[in-house]
Amino acid sequence: ERGLEMRPLSGLNGWQMSKTCFEKDLESGNEPLMYHYIRSWNQMDLLHRLFVPAPQISAVARRGKATLSEACVEFHGNRQCAASDDSGDCPWIPQEAGTVECTAL
């Protein structure tokens, strides 16, 4: 009616993702703009550390090389790990929740 075009905007993630989909999103080449359903300080802290402009490896990531590798992700050379592999600490759906197909990224 008013000449507006509705189209998807890459980087807006308004749904929860499996870790596999979360990693695919990070590798897609589209800069992530938003992750929805972030419910805890630990989830937000992981995202903050992951997207900080100066790449760094956190103390949690160093400890996590052997024990928390499932709770770690990397974005542009910046490897970060969640405080634990508990669902309250990770910004993705736990594996035991089942497989979720990734939407078009």
Side-chain angles (χ1 to χ4, degrees), residues 66-80:
T67 58
L68 291 176
S69 61
E70 289 301 311
C72 299
V73 290
E74 187 171 321
F75 181 70
H76 293 286
N78 184 6
R79 177 180 164 83
Q80 295 296 325

Side-chain angles (χ1 to χ4, degrees), residues 47-93:
L47 292 176
H48 174 76
R49 287 183 285 113
L50 188 61
F51 299 120
V52 72
Q56 59 186 8
I57 296 181
S58 70
V60 176
R62 287 188 194 104
R63 274 197 325 263
K65 285 185 179 175
T67 58
L68 291 176
S69 61
E70 289 301 311
C72 299
V73 290
E74 187 171 321
F75 181 70
H76 293 286
N78 184 6
R79 177 180 164 83
Q80 295 296 325
C81 296
S84 77
D85 59 359
D86 181 77
S87 63
D89 291 336
C90 300
W92 49 79
I93 298 170

Side-chain angles (χ1 to χ4, degrees), residues 9-46:
L9 182 59
S10 299
L12 294 179
N13 301 295
W15 54 90
Q16 289 184 294
M17 299 183 212
S18 67
K19 184 166 188 271
T20 302
C21 294
F22 188 87
E23 289 175 320
K24 282 182 182 179
D25 183 59
L26 293 175
E27 297 167 358
S28 71
N30 298 319
E31 294 291 319
L33 300 174
M34 176 189 74
Y35 288 102
H36 231 307
Y37 301 105
I38 302 304
R39 294 187 171 105
S40 73
W41 185 89
N42 283 343
Q43 291 172 341
M44 186 60 77
D45 182 59
L46 171 63

